[in-house]
Amino acid sequence: MTTVFSSAAALQAAVGQSLGATDWLRIEQPRVDQFADATGDHQWIHVDPEKAAKGPFGGTIAHGYLTLSLVNYFLPQLMRVENLQMGVNYGCDRVRFPAPVRVGARIRGVGEVTGVETLANGAVQVVVRVTVEVEGSDRPGCVVDTISRYTFNPAA
């Protein structure tokens, strides 16, 4: 269920709150191959199932940066910000890849609002920690603090 925010005050009130979890997404080899083509990273642990089956992970794994990029897929499932003049992705902090994401695994995003800062121009900067859980694993595939900036419409 998506949490909807329509004001800076609502975002401020959400600091420390969980945004819940998204639906599961299965990581399939064609997605990994497309990412390899897009980035030029064709390392065998990602794209050669035969060789990877004999490697350290027992099969191919998603690129860490593929897993990170899927945070952008999960964020709109976790939260939506309305009543905006503008919203932008400002960046990320503290990106980690604690566990591999094996091809065939299911992942989901779990979100938490960890900080909201009011900026000089009246906008707010929001930090949402997204943990990419791997089904059946004690360790996540990725943990990242996303940073977004939102400028709300003036009150009518």
Side-chain angles (χ1 to χ4, degrees):
M1 185 158 144
T2 306
T3 303
V4 179
F5 299 97
S6 58
S7 69
L11 284 164
Q12 283 281 1
V15 173
Q17 280 186 11
S18 172
L19 298 171
T22 67
D23 292 334
W24 292 102
L25 173 69
R26 188 169 305 279
I27 299 301
E28 303 286 358
Q29 191 64 51
R31 183 186 297 267
V32 174
D33 293 343
Q34 286 178 321
F35 191 84
D37 288 343
T39 63
D41 182 352
H42 292 94
Q43 188 178 154
W44 61 269
I45 63 172
H46 304 303
V47 298
D48 188 338
E50 276 187 39
K51 186 173 181 179
K54 299 172 190 148
F57 304 110
T60 51
I61 61 170
H63 304 72
Y65 285 119
L66 169 57
T67 305
L68 174 62
S69 74
L70 290 170
V71 168
N72 196 52
Y73 171 79
F74 293 136
L75 271 171
Q77 294 177 53
L78 294 168
M79 65 181 283
R80 184 172 71 243
V81 183
E82 298 179 338
N83 190 32
L84 289 178
Q85 286 183 353
M86 183 179 67
V88 295
N89 173 359
Y90 190 68
C92 296
D93 278 339
R94 299 177 43 95
V95 178
R96 300 291 183 266
F97 305 108
V101 175
R102 290 174 177 79
V103 169
R106 293 192 330 157
I107 63 172
R108 68 179 179 181
V110 176
E112 177 189 354
V113 179
T114 62
V116 177
E117 175 186 352
T118 301
L119 304 176
N121 64 359
V124 291
Q125 181 167 289
V126 179
V127 178
V128 175
R129 176 164 297 144
V130 178
T131 301
V132 179
E133 293 182 339
V134 181
E135 190 175 40
S137 175
D138 293 338
R139 294 180 14 221
C142 180
V143 180
V144 58
D145 289 349
T146 67
I147 306 167
S148 301
R149 289 188 169 181
Y150 300 108
T151 304
F152 288 90
N153 289 317

